[in-house]
Amino acid sequence: MNLPPYDKMKIRQENGKTMVLDILRRKYVRLTPEEMVRQCFVNFLVEYKGYPTALMGNEVQLMVGEKKLRCDSVLYDREMLPRMIIEYKAPDIEITEKVLHQILSYNTQLNVKYLMMSNGTQHVCLRYNDDSGRWEFMPEIPNYADL
């Protein structure tokens, strides 16, 4: 992955499974390749980009029509309104238009201005431009203060 090292990651074995402490959910969860991306990316946002953990949530449940879905991570503003959806994939899964459509389907419920997708090596960030009514690619992952 091309993210800064997450030296404080807490890992333990539980019933023969490798578990990692999710700092947002405050519990140990199974360490899958996608979960490794999530934990490293959240650490990057918090430690290097200034995102407050108090305004972030993992595995946020949504209802889209009759389907129950889960956003991998959601960033909220100070009024606890959704501001950004973040979707993670395992390192061997490319960030494609299919992933974009997945995250856009979540946004039909949350109506956020920012979307991020990461597989640990490829990171995509988009911002909704109210003037043009279009999503625009951002050249880099923004600091929290710049949102």
Side-chain angles (χ1 to χ4, degrees):
M1 290 193 284
N2 65 0
L3 293 166
Y6 182 9
D7 298 329
K8 297 177 186 172
M9 184 182 295
K10 294 183 181 173
I11 297 175
R12 71 180 187 196
Q13 293 297 311
E14 219 174 86
N15 299 323
K17 295 180 182 165
T18 303
M19 309 293 282
V20 63
L21 180 63
D22 181 326
I23 62 167
L24 299 184
R25 289 180 275 183
R26 296 186 179 111
K27 68 178 186 177
Y28 279 86
V29 297
R30 188 154 186 230
L31 184 58
T32 63
E34 181 178 319
E35 193 62 43
M36 178 63 84
V37 172
R38 180 197 329 250
Q39 295 306 316
C40 291
F41 199 80
V42 167
N43 178 70
F44 167 69
L45 292 176
V46 171
E47 296 296 326
Y48 295 87
K49 294 291 183 173
Y51 288 54
T53 57
L55 298 179
M56 295 179 75
N58 281 340
E59 294 291 324
V60 176
Q61 187 170 308
L62 299 175
M63 289 296 293
V64 177
E66 299 287 316
K67 294 173 95 175
K68 280 185 185 178
L69 302 173
R70 289 185 192 269
C71 292
D72 288 339
S73 295
V74 175
L75 172 71
Y76 298 90
D77 64 18
R78 301 254 178 234
E79 286 76 44
M80 294 309 290
L81 297 172
R83 178 117 178 145
M84 175 186 292
I85 302 170
I86 309 168
E87 179 66 22
Y88 309 104
K89 296 296 179 193
D92 62 330
I93 298 177
E94 217 176 313
I95 302 297
T96 63
E97 195 171 322
K98 182 179 177 184
V99 178
L100 176 60
H101 287 294
Q102 177 185 0
I103 199 170
L104 285 170
S105 72
Y106 301 157
N107 201 37
T108 61
Q109 299 298 306
L110 296 181
N111 197 31
V112 301
K113 298 290 183 191
Y114 295 91
L115 302 174
M116 268 200 267
M117 297 161 278
S118 177
N119 65 5
T121 58
Q122 183 183 13
H123 318 291
V124 177
C125 188
L126 298 114
R127 175 181 50 218
Y128 188 76
N129 182 321
D130 287 317
D131 294 332
S132 68
R134 299 175 61 95
W135 288 97
E136 299 172 347
F137 287 95
M138 298 181 72
E140 62 184 28
I141 297 169
N143 291 321
Y144 179 77
D146 297 331
L147 296 177

